[in-house]
Amino acid sequence: MTMSDLSRRSVIAGGIAAAAAGAAAGSARAASSSSPAVLAGENGWVTSTMARMTLEEKVGQLFIQNVYGKDATTPDSRNLPLYGVASPAEVVQKYHLGGIIYFAWTDSVQNPDQIVGLSNGLQKAALTQQSKVRIPLQVATDQEQGVVTRIGPPATQFPGSMALGAGRSAPDARTAAAITGRELLAMGVNTNFAPDCDVNVNPLNPVIGTRSFSSRPELAAQLAAAQVAGYQRDGGVASSAKHFPGHGDTATDSHVAFPVITHTREQWEAIDAPPFRAAIKEQIDMIMTAHLSFPALDDSGNPATLSKPILTGVLRGELGYEGVIVTDSLAMQGVRDLYGDAEVAVRALMAGVDQLLMTPAMDEAYAAVIEAARSGRIAPDELDAKVRRVLGLKYRRGIVARPYADPAAVASVVGTPAHLASATAVTDRTTTLVKNDAKALPIAPNGKKVLVTGYGVSTTATLAAGLTSKGATVQTMQTGTSPTDAQVAAAVAAAADKDVVVVTTMKAWDTSVTDKRGGQQKLVKQLLSTGRTVVVVAVRDPYDIAYFTDAPTYVATYSYSPVAIEAAARVIVGDVAPTASLPVDIPVAGAPETVLYPFGHGLTY
């Protein structure tokens, strides 16, 4: 399902002017804020380094890969089938890698001390290999915050992009990025694949959703620019706008299939382009491609990641972007349907990409790119331009001058009381009270019997703790993303003697993937039938209310991060008056052209 024509027109009306105003500013990259001396140093280092590089070393700089293991030198058998060597350090040295990306499932992000140790160990591997050049790594992760958070507590948590959109504050968005960037850098992570610049105009979008700031391009652009400044200027890390040319209007997940965006060129200019233009104006270091077809920009059927018309024609030529273009993960199905993994790597580079992220066939892809360079399929000057952009980013971002993080300084930066206080203050300004028809909120919890049920072990526990601290007697009954009939019945029975029921929902609208049995919707409806005071808290997408419109009390947090749930508890008991408003339209269930609650709606006490 794509966005309705009516909804498109409403967005275009507000977006055409912004797109026109931004066109001139975004048509060429803003003048560098670097001094002539800094630029001369960058050019000198890049030129002298490239003069000593072999072809294999140049090609290696174009790859960012995931590696398994909590430290750099301990062998991990999971690396063997991917790379033929066992330790992360050996992977770096075998391919002269340009970068490494961290995930929880690779055991890369267990705690701050472990992360800084791994980061420094990987940098040592890059800087001590047998070579004429010593080039440090980009050490990257996806710390978007909210639903895409790779490094958890004690690192400071924020509720994510759509929550910031609800708060409407560019300074808050910049603060969140600045703190996130500073903490990443303290752990040796110098590159963050954020912010998400997609404009989520499709409420059924399964892959973007609350990762987007808003369904309005002008708000998304304003907050994206603020976050680029926060990450790069304040936080000192490289940032990456994603997913170009725009992933906001699809009901298909590009991790498992191949989405097609049906926007016209006019709609792309008005809806999808403004956040990317704003990021380019802020001198974004990197832009990440999307694995989707966008026929209005390229009707070949190729994904944008492999599209020269989109990457070289539109992004480079029309938008004037001069920084690094990086692919989304090449292990995603959306880019693997048409060509083999080795050919995908070559075609992406030929299309205009500079760096290849997470190829699932490293030996084959590495060899294919080297052969393409030797044969002239990738011209020598094109290869050198890509390497120059990658090395220039490393120099400008301070990675060359300061490749190592200080282990002794981690505790004084990561999760400090000041950072946590800032996160609390920002998050308190993002909780949205959508519906309070029965005037049930705020509740006076002291002496009340409360049932907290619904999605999430930690989510329900965090909410229960907040209510307990205010004097409520709380029973917790977690029912997950797809409650069974037995779980629903147990929750209804538990509600019988309670004064208040708080039920958390998480993508209750999604009965295709998240909740195939529709258990969350059943849970809410049957709890409402008990006659108890029921407070529904949507802890991810705000769209759930459309599927149980009889609920008289509804709060949206846009995230199940503990910081967001703690803020919701403060709103429920009245310690904090809600001030945020919806950053998207909530449409009627099954009728996306009809708005149930409009952008900008929000209540307070």
Side-chain angles (χ1 to χ4, degrees):
M1 174 181 176
T2 58
M3 177 187 168
S4 71
D5 288 339
L6 186 150
S7 297
R8 280 196 181 108
R9 286 197 295 271
S10 68
V11 172
I12 290 172
I16 287 286
S27 63
R29 192 180 182 189
S32 173
S33 59
S34 299
S35 68
V38 170
L39 291 174
E42 174 189 332
N43 291 333
W45 180 81
V46 170
T47 299
S48 65
T49 299
M50 289 183 63
R52 303 191 305 276
M53 294 175 73
T54 65
L55 174 60
E56 290 77 9
E57 289 167 341
K58 288 180 178 180
V59 170
Q61 287 298 304
L62 308 185
F63 286 86
I64 299 175
Q65 291 295 114
N66 57 286
V67 290
Y68 290 96
K70 64 181 181 180
D71 66 70
T73 57
T74 300
D76 190 309
S77 61
R78 293 174 292 178
N79 290 316
L80 287 170
L82 295 173
Y83 305 116
V85 293
S87 74
E90 290 174 308
V91 177
V92 169
Q93 294 182 337
K94 177 178 177 179
Y95 304 103
H96 314 285
L97 287 182
I100 293 291
I101 183 170
Y102 288 171
F103 296 94
W105 50 268
T106 56
D107 293 334
S108 306
V109 290
Q110 295 180 352
N111 59 70
D113 291 334
Q114 173 269 323
I115 295 169
V116 73
L118 175 61
S119 300
N120 285 345
L122 292 171
Q123 293 292 11
K124 182 178 179 181
L127 293 168
T128 58
Q129 58 186 319
Q130 295 299 314
S131 172
K132 292 181 180 180
V133 296
R134 301 287 188 268
I135 302 172
L137 294 163
Q138 285 174 267
V139 179
T141 197
D142 300 276
Q143 192 80 344
E144 296 176 18
Q145 299 284 12
V147 298
V148 177
T149 301
R150 308 302 187 204
I151 304 174
T156 302
Q157 308 292 290
F158 287 90
S161 297
M162 190 170 283
L164 293 170
R168 298 293 200 279
S169 170
D172 280 356
R174 182 165 180 167
T175 293
I179 289 173
T180 300
R182 289 179 192 129
E183 295 195 2
L184 288 174
L185 199 60
M187 293 181 280
V189 181
N190 53 46
T191 301
N192 191 18
F193 291 130
D196 190 301
C197 286
D198 301 307
V199 180
N200 199 72
V201 291
N202 190 335
L204 303 185
N205 195 324
V207 66
I208 303 302
T210 58
R211 298 170 65 190
S212 166
F213 292 108
S214 177
S215 62
R216 299 299 172 96
E218 59 274 19
L219 178 59
Q222 178 190 26
L223 299 187
Q227 290 228 298
V228 173
Y231 287 128
Q232 296 184 176
R233 296 186 194 176
D234 306 333
V237 296
S239 66
S240 177
K242 56 189 185 186
H243 308 80
F244 190 85
H247 209 315
D249 191 5
T250 176
T252 302
D253 186 345
S254 53
H255 290 84
V256 297
F258 185 39
V260 177
I261 304 295
T262 60
H263 287 183
T264 65
R265 176 62 191 244
E266 179 192 42
Q267 289 165 343
W268 177 79
E269 291 281 1
I271 299 169
D272 303 289
F276 292 101
R277 291 188 185 275
I280 291 169
K281 187 177 179 182
E282 280 293 331
Q283 302 182 55
I284 185 85
D285 286 326
M286 308 177 77
I287 291 180
M288 180 179 285
T289 66
H291 303 327
L292 48 76
S293 174
F294 211 121
L297 302 181
D298 178 4
D299 62 4
S300 69
N302 277 324
T305 296
L306 308 182
S307 170
K308 191 167 186 177
I310 291 175
L311 301 184
T312 300
V314 177
L315 182 53
R316 293 271 189 231
E318 296 180 25
L319 272 61
Y321 180 59
E322 297 177 2
V324 171
I325 299 175
V326 62
T327 71
D328 204 344
S329 168
L330 295 180
M332 292 166 60
Q333 197 58 43
V335 77
R336 303 178 75 186
D337 284 347
L338 299 178
Y339 311 101
D341 291 325
E343 181 66 9
V344 162
V346 173
R347 285 178 178 254
L349 293 170
M350 292 174 64
V353 161
D354 299 309
Q355 286 189 303
L356 305 162
L357 181 64
M358 296 174 64
T359 178
M362 185 62 191
D363 280 339
E364 294 86 348
Y366 184 62
V369 174
I370 290 172
E371 175 56 31
R374 284 178 175 155
S375 69
R377 193 176 176 199
I378 298 175
D381 60 339
E382 292 177 354
L383 177 65
D384 282 355
K386 297 176 191 302
V387 177
R388 180 171 288 275
R389 279 190 284 267
V390 171
L391 297 186
L393 183 157
K394 293 183 178 185
Y395 188 94
R396 286 192 309 277
R397 201 47 57 209
I399 300 170
V400 172
R402 298 174 299 279
Y404 298 107
D406 180 4
V410 172
S412 65
V413 178
V414 177
T416 64
H419 285 180
L420 296 176
S422 291
T424 295
V426 167
T427 308
D428 279 345
R429 295 189 281 268
T430 65
T431 308
T432 307
L433 179 59
V434 177
K435 194 174 182 183
N436 196 23
D437 288 358
K439 304 300 181 186
L441 296 184
I443 67 170
N446 190 38
K448 292 282 185 14
K449 296 173 68 176
V450 179
L451 172 66
V452 176
T453 188
Y455 164 78
V457 173
S458 64
T459 299
T460 53
T462 301
L463 196 50
L467 299 176
T468 300
S469 70
K470 291 295 181 177
T473 300
V474 181
Q475 179 182 357
T476 304
M477 186 175 290
Q478 192 271 149
T479 57
T481 56
S482 187
T484 64
D485 288 345
Q487 286 176 309
V488 172
V492 169
D497 66 342
K498 301 301 188 294
D499 300 301
V500 178
V501 177
V502 180
V503 54
T504 58
T505 64
M506 201 287 285
K507 294 182 76 172
W509 63 267
D510 182 11
T511 54
S512 296
V513 177
T514 304
D515 185 5
K516 291 183 179 180
R517 62 167 60 95
Q520 292 188 68
Q521 295 180 32
K522 290 179 186 176
L523 175 65
V524 172
K525 290 173 182 177
Q526 292 191 29
L527 288 171
L528 290 171
S529 71
T530 65
R532 303 292 92 189
T533 296
V534 176
V535 178
V536 182
V537 182
V539 299
R540 186 162 173 173
D541 299 357
Y543 309 114
D544 291 355
I545 183 63
Y547 297 81
F548 29 78
T549 54
D550 289 344
T553 312
Y554 183 77
V555 176
T557 69
Y558 314 96
S559 170
Y560 41 72
S561 297
V563 68
I565 304 307
E566 291 163 0
R570 288 190 288 274
V571 166
I572 288 170
V573 302
D575 285 352
V576 170
T579 58
S581 55
L582 289 172
V584 295
D585 291 330
I586 298 178
V588 171
E593 71 283 357
T594 305
V595 174
L596 180 64
Y597 292 99
F599 172 94
H601 170 81
L603 307 175
T604 191
Y605 308 142

